[in-house]
Amino acid sequence: MNTNKIVANGIENVFKQHKSSIVIGLTGRTGSGCTTAAKILSIRDFEKLNLPSLRVPPTNHEDRKDRIIYAWIKEHWTPFKYLSVTTLILSIAISHGIDKLEELIKSIDQNFETNELKKNI
């Protein structure tokens, strides 16, 4: 079974098990804030989110909407799981065995020391 099929089957199984799950993919150029946003969304404790203060008392319709949203999020906050593409790619590469990973790295960089890879895994 090829890697794409394995990944597709894995994703399908996740969705079957967690029909109420939300998957968010953040993409952007280096420095665009995707990693920062992902890490914020994975904070477990709502109080540690450091959200901006609400205006007291609310002075307009937007302030009232902000209060409603804040109250709902505070009540229902569930952190996201953070998964980087690097971790996913490395996991797939390792699942094919250390020798295949070594072979792949050597095909990219002939100067790579394979004994260093085996020593660190």
Side-chain angles (χ1 to χ4, degrees), residues 65-99:
K65 286 197 278 185
D66 288 347
R67 284 188 166 302
I68 292 167
I69 293 167
Y70 183 91
W72 190 90
I73 292 172
K74 186 174 183 179
E75 178 78 20
H76 297 92
W77 178 250
T78 304
F80 285 79
K81 303 284 188 240
Y82 176 76
L83 175 67
S84 71
V85 173
T86 305
T87 304
L88 184 61
I89 292 170
L90 187 58
S91 296
I92 292 169
I94 290 172
S95 73
H96 289 285
I98 193 72
D99 293 332

Side-chain angles (χ1 to χ4, degrees), residues 54-68:
L54 297 172
R55 193 173 296 182
V56 180
T59 59
N60 58 41
H61 189 60
E62 290 301 313
D63 290 347
R64 284 186 273 288
K65 286 197 278 185
D66 288 347
R67 284 188 166 302
I68 292 167

Side-chain angles (χ1 to χ4, degrees), residues 91-111:
S91 296
I92 292 169
I94 290 172
S95 73
H96 289 285
I98 193 72
D99 293 332
K100 288 278 188 188
L101 178 58
E102 206 173 274
E103 197 177 298
L104 174 65
I105 295 171
K106 276 271 197 200
S107 73
I108 297 167
D109 179 6
Q110 287 76 29
N111 297 321

